[in-house]
Each structure stands twice: as structure tokens, then as C-alpha cells.
Amino acid sequence: MKGIDPAERLLKSLGVTEPHEIELEDIAFDQGAEIRYCDLSGCEADILGYRDRAIISIDRNRGLRRRRFSIAHELGHWHYHRGKKLQCRVDEYQPKHKQLAERKANGYAASLLMPHYLLKPRARDHQKLTFKTIEQFSSEFRTSLPATAIRLVEADIWPCMLICHTRQGRKWFAQAPMFHQRWFPQAELDPESSAFDAVFGQSEGDAHPRIIGADAWFDRAEAQRYELFEQVKCIGDDEALVLLTIKDDRMMEDEPERFGHRW
């Protein structure tokens, strides 16, 4: 099993071959942790460990999929950070500038809930990624829509980028490695994007992807040459997920020379 991460190695050692077999209470017990559901104030989850035993407290007032992510996140801390005092915050996306401990726990949670050895073969059966596909995976793996979308985008199967926007601007974004890093999304929404109407309460998003100019999302001169597939999904009163998919493969190539024939 060399080359796979600890969460996937654990799942394989337990004989997990289907998404419905990822029972977190049983996995926690195997790892010496007891799950307790209670009323928590100021946090969604907490872990208290001593030697090889731990108690993970989960806010019982959260939804099932949020509770599952919280359990998996705390199991990540149990794997990586035993004996360390941490101020834990459970967020399904942690920007790269956030503390390493939280990002590592999130990575463990994503692998535990949506292991690549189960997710990628299923994902490759889909020619393109849409929110309908994401919702199907969310249901099968019992994970939230944002967490599922991030995992599928970062699986690097399709040339996609996922952006979370609020009325205050871009909250975070994730992208497939094949989506060249020179494409950095603008902080503010362009009125041409259907995300603008979704965030400001004028629509619930798109049933299907639509075509939009890349310059609505990227402040680069070359963006004027390209179009993207855009699909928007509301996930709150003033929050939306935006799925961008490359339409022209040239967007995935290395940066063109300013004075060369490709510019």
C-alpha cells in the first residue's frame, strides 16, 4: 500500500470496498476514539485524548453530513497531532495560508470520507463535472456538497475550478492541477456571471452549465480569447459555488510568450 495516504491505508486495512461501508463510529472505535454527540458552544467538534484513547465530542445539532466531516476531521487530528494542544476549527476548505494542522486534518477527512480508490473510478465514468454529478456523489458518500465538489475538482479528472463567493467577494477557490495556475480568479463578481444574481438573491443558480467569456473571471489579457463553461449553485442566502470548466485546451498550456505567435 505504499504511496497512498494514511486515511486510505486505514480504510483498505479495514476491508472497505464501498462508500456505504465508511462507518465513522466503527472506524473511530478501531482507532481508540469514542464518539459522543452533545450540545457544544463555540465549536462544532472537539477531541480530548490521553495516551492511546480519545473522546471526540460532536455538536448533535448539526446535519448528518456536517457531523461526519467533523468526526473525520477530528480523527485527522488524532492521527497527526496526538499530544499537541490545538485550537480546532472545522471548515471544509482551509486556504493554504491557514495553519498547517487544520489543513492536514482536512486532508485526512477528505481521504477518509471520499477515498480516491473508491471515488476516482466512479468519477471517470462521467464525461464532465456538473453539480448534478456532484450531488450524486454527495449522496453516495454522505458528504456535504462543498466538500464533495472540492474533492472531485482536486481529483484532476476534468479541467475545472471551484469558487465560493459571497456578497463580500471571493471566499475561497480550489482547482484541478491541470487548470493552469496562471488562471487566478478575480476577487469580485462580474455582473455578466450568473453567480452575481445568485449571490444577490435574484436566482437560485443554473440547472445546466452555460458559456461565458473567460475575461469575466480572469484579469489577464489572454482571457479575452477564451470561453468557459460556468455553472452556479446557491448554498446559502448570500453564498454560491461556481464551477468553471475549460472549454479550450489551450488554457491548460504553459503561459504564452508575450511577443510570440501564441500571444
Side-chain angles (χ1 to χ4, degrees), residues 21-258:
E21 296 172 354
I22 304 175
E23 295 295 346
L24 296 181
E25 287 84 358
D26 295 340
I27 293 171
F29 180 82
D30 178 80
Q31 295 299 294
E34 177 187 348
I35 307 298
R36 294 183 181 178
Y37 298 95
C38 53
D39 295 320
L40 294 179
S41 177
C43 65
E44 295 183 33
D46 187 48
I47 184 168
L48 179 64
Y50 180 70
R51 293 184 178 174
D52 61 347
R53 307 297 296 176
I55 295 174
I56 295 175
S57 300
I58 301 295
D59 187 353
R60 63 186 173 192
N61 299 304
R62 305 288 176 169
L64 171 64
R65 296 176 186 181
R66 185 64 181 179
R67 294 199 305 269
R68 281 175 58 79
F69 189 89
S70 295
I71 293 170
H73 179 93
E74 297 304 333
L75 286 172
H77 281 312
W78 184 231
H79 176 81
Y80 286 115
H81 309 123
R82 296 189 194 193
K84 297 181 181 179
K85 183 176 177 58
L86 297 170
Q87 187 173 26
C88 181
R89 177 178 175 82
V90 180
D91 284 318
E92 289 165 319
Y93 181 83
Q94 290 285 349
K96 293 182 179 179
H97 67 274
K98 293 294 184 180
Q99 57 180 312
L100 179 61
E102 294 306 303
R103 285 195 285 116
K104 291 192 73 171
N106 266 11
Y108 188 95
S111 292
L112 192 66
L113 294 169
M114 297 168 281
H116 278 150
Y117 74 90
L118 296 182
L119 181 131
K120 283 190 173 184
R122 289 168 168 79
R124 291 191 180 101
D125 289 337
H126 297 266
Q127 186 175 4
K128 59 184 178 180
L129 184 64
T130 65
F131 279 114
K132 181 179 180 180
T133 302
I134 294 168
E135 288 169 349
Q136 291 172 355
F137 277 79
S138 174
S139 177
E140 185 175 13
F141 284 85
R142 292 175 290 168
T143 48
S144 73
L145 188 75
T148 308
I150 292 168
R151 187 67 167 169
L152 285 168
V153 165
E154 293 184 342
D156 205 28
I157 295 171
W158 313 273
C160 294
M161 175 180 287
L162 182 72
I163 308 170
C164 181
H165 257 283
T166 68
R167 293 180 183 178
Q168 288 70 46
R170 187 188 66 239
K171 188 176 180 181
W172 52 260
F173 75 95
Q175 66 193 99
M178 70 174 72
F179 203 122
H180 201 286
Q181 290 187 356
R182 76 178 184 276
W183 299 107
F184 194 92
Q186 300 183 89
E188 302 300 326
L189 282 172
D190 190 301
E192 292 297 316
S193 168
S194 57
F196 189 91
D197 290 338
V199 167
F200 289 94
Q202 303 301 312
S203 79
E204 295 182 358
D206 306 314
H208 306 284
R210 70 187 192 101
I211 295 175
I212 189 170
D215 55 350
W217 285 101
F218 305 106
D219 186 20
R220 295 181 61 88
E222 61 173 311
Q224 299 176 18
R225 301 163 49 193
Y226 302 116
E227 291 179 326
L228 298 164
F229 291 108
E230 175 195 77
Q231 189 180 15
V232 178
K233 179 79 172 179
C234 286
I235 57 171
D237 292 338
D238 63 348
E239 190 168 352
L241 292 178
V242 184
L243 184 63
L244 300 178
T245 303
I246 286 176
K247 186 170 178 282
D248 189 328
D249 288 346
R250 290 177 297 173
M251 285 187 71
M252 295 186 289
E253 297 175 356
D254 290 336
E255 187 169 4
E257 296 292 337
R258 181 180 297 271

Side-chain angles (χ1 to χ4, degrees), residues 11-12 14-22 115 117-118 122 140:
L11 291 173
K12 287 192 172 185
L14 295 173
V16 172
T17 59
E18 296 291 338
H20 71 266
E21 296 172 354
I22 304 175
Y117 74 90
L118 296 182
R122 289 168 168 79
E140 185 175 13

